[in-house]
Amino acid sequence: MKIGIFSNPGSDSTRVSNALKSKIKAEHLTLDNGHPDILITVGGDGTLLSAFHHYEDQLASIRFVGIHTGHLGFYTDWRDYEVDELIDSLAHDNGQSVSYPLLDMLIEYSNGDRESRLALNESTLKKVTGTMLANVYIKDQLFELFRGDGLCVSTPTGSTAYNKSAGGAVISSELNVVQVSEIASINNRVFRTLGSPIIISPSEWVRIEPVQLDKSQVNDILMTCDQNMVENHRIKSVTYRISKQRIAFAEYRHTQFWKRVSESFIGVKPID
Ligand code: NAP
Ligand code: MN
């Protein structure tokens, strides 16, 4: 089995990834960052997001494992002091995995170019200055005319990230859905949006067409795909749907999704 390591450059993560490397060699497992079967990320959820995009074209053959050098994260099940336990799990691996939905983005530019992107957490469309005006379609049916800061389209595992700050629901990672949440929409007698997040099924799609009032070819819409800004030309539309691809994690232990949410955001203890 080939194992890759993707570490953030911090000193804690470097120390953990060096320890990992020597233990992997001692177990006679193969280190291969080019085409790994298992990719271990060392850092935080942000590091896992970077690794996902780095290995995006190998999703069908990679299972991810996340080690968090800080607190427990959403994509990171292991803590830095659990390296020995993880090595033991790798040595006894029998291919166990769990997979989660991804967000497919089809971008159409005003010059006719098209581009596809994949997001693990979410994509947002925002205006750099002023408010964003956009026609929002669901399955080719005009749904609303949005005016506000922007829109956030997220996966179930991304629902605890930006989406949650935008007032979206936290979605079970067992559901194959995509959520659209509003970022500071304007609602008055002139402008009206639904005002609540919406969740679409695998047979549906959402198309967002920013209305660019400035008729020059300058693009003033900011488009993100996870932690990255998509460098772009003037955007005509972005069509979002649930991807046919998924991200797989090696499931050596199972952290129940709702336990993770409760521990990360609430840290509740029973009253005795
Ligand atoms: P960052 O600024 O370090 O991320 C912000 C926080 O989001 C970090 O605490 C990060 O955890 C956490 N996070 C990432 N994915 C998460 C998930 N699926 N569920 C719950 N928390 C999550 O930047 P980053 O680490 O590169 O992460 C990029 C993400 O930041 C974007 O995909 C977006 O979701 C989020 N973001 C949020 C806002 C907002 O809430 N207003 C604005 C911009 C971006 P770690 O510390 O473990 O990395
Ligand atoms: Mn981060």
Side-chain angles (χ1 to χ4, degrees):
M1 198 168 66
K2 294 173 293 176
I3 299 176
I5 298 174
F6 188 100
S7 175
N8 89 11
S11 57
D12 279 352
S13 300
T14 307
R15 178 181 47 77
V16 173
S17 74
N18 285 339
L20 257 176
K21 278 178 203 156
S22 52
K23 285 175 181 170
I24 285 169
K25 282 183 192 144
E27 276 291 336
H28 303 295
L29 295 160
T30 314
L31 268 172
D32 183 347
N33 279 345
H35 291 90
D37 302 304
I38 298 272
L39 196 271
I40 305 174
T41 69
V42 186
D45 283 327
T47 314
L48 191 288
L49 286 171
S50 303
F52 165 79
H53 287 289
H54 187 87
Y55 289 95
E56 215 178 300
D57 54 355
Q58 295 183 48
L59 290 182
S61 57
I62 292 183
R63 285 176 296 147
F64 290 83
V65 172
I67 301 181
H68 209 299
T69 39
H71 47 93
L72 255 198
F74 276 83
Y75 297 112
T76 46
D77 277 331
W78 300 80
R79 300 291 307 276
D80 47 2
Y81 50 77
E82 295 174 312
V83 168
D84 287 338
E85 216 183 307
L86 174 58
I87 294 287
D88 191 55
S89 300
L90 290 169
H92 297 98
D93 178 86
N94 57 20
Q96 59 272 59
S97 75
V98 59
S99 73
Y100 302 120
L102 297 169
L103 174 69
D104 192 81
M105 309 165 55
L106 176 64
I107 309 153
E108 272 191 87
Y109 296 105
S110 300
N111 66 3
D113 286 359
R114 285 167 156 245
E115 186 187 355
S116 284
R117 293 268 182 150
L118 212 50
L120 173 53
N121 267 353
E122 80 287 291
S123 165
T124 63
L125 285 173
K126 297 184 266 197
K127 184 96 179 283
V128 180
T129 52
T131 53
M132 182 176 88
L133 194 58
N135 292 312
V136 180
Y137 293 83
I138 301 180
K139 278 185 95 172
D140 295 335
Q141 164 81 43
L142 181 62
F143 180 72
E144 67 182 13
L145 177 58
F146 176 90
R147 188 166 201 138
D149 280 11
L151 287 160
C152 171
V153 187
S154 59
T155 64
T157 56
S159 69
T160 47
Y162 204 148
N163 165 74
K164 189 172 177 299
S165 308
V170 172
I171 303 269
S172 165
S173 57
E174 292 177 18
L175 289 173
N176 202 27
V177 294
V178 157
Q179 176 169 202
V180 184
S181 51
E182 301 179 347
I183 308 170
S185 60
I186 298 175
N187 272 288
N188 54 29
R189 292 206 298 192
V190 183
F191 304 113
R192 181 127 318 268
T193 64
L194 184 65
S196 62
I198 60 168
I199 295 165
I200 62 161
S201 77
S203 63
E204 297 171 318
W205 61 90
V206 169
R207 191 169 86 251
I208 303 173
E209 256 180 26
V211 180
Q212 309 221 30
L213 295 173
D214 171 8
K215 295 298 170 210
S216 71
Q217 283 305 301
V218 178
N219 181 62
D220 59 0
I221 299 294
L222 195 138
M223 174 166 46
T224 66
C225 174
D226 295 331
Q227 76 281 35
N228 303 313
M229 197 175 109
V230 183
E231 290 291 337
N232 50 45
H233 314 290
R234 195 173 162 110
I235 299 164
K236 185 166 170 238
S237 72
V238 189
T239 305
Y240 294 103
R241 66 180 87 219
I242 299 158
S243 174
K244 291 191 172 59
Q245 298 185 74
R246 294 170 71 90
I247 181 171
F249 286 81
E251 196 187 26
Y252 300 132
R253 54 162 66 156
H254 184 70
T255 311
Q256 208 242 337
F257 177 74
W258 295 110
K259 178 176 178 339
R260 200 190 294 265
V261 173
S262 170
E263 284 178 356
S264 298
F265 291 113
I266 307 168
V268 69
K269 288 192 174 64
I271 302 168
D272 41 34

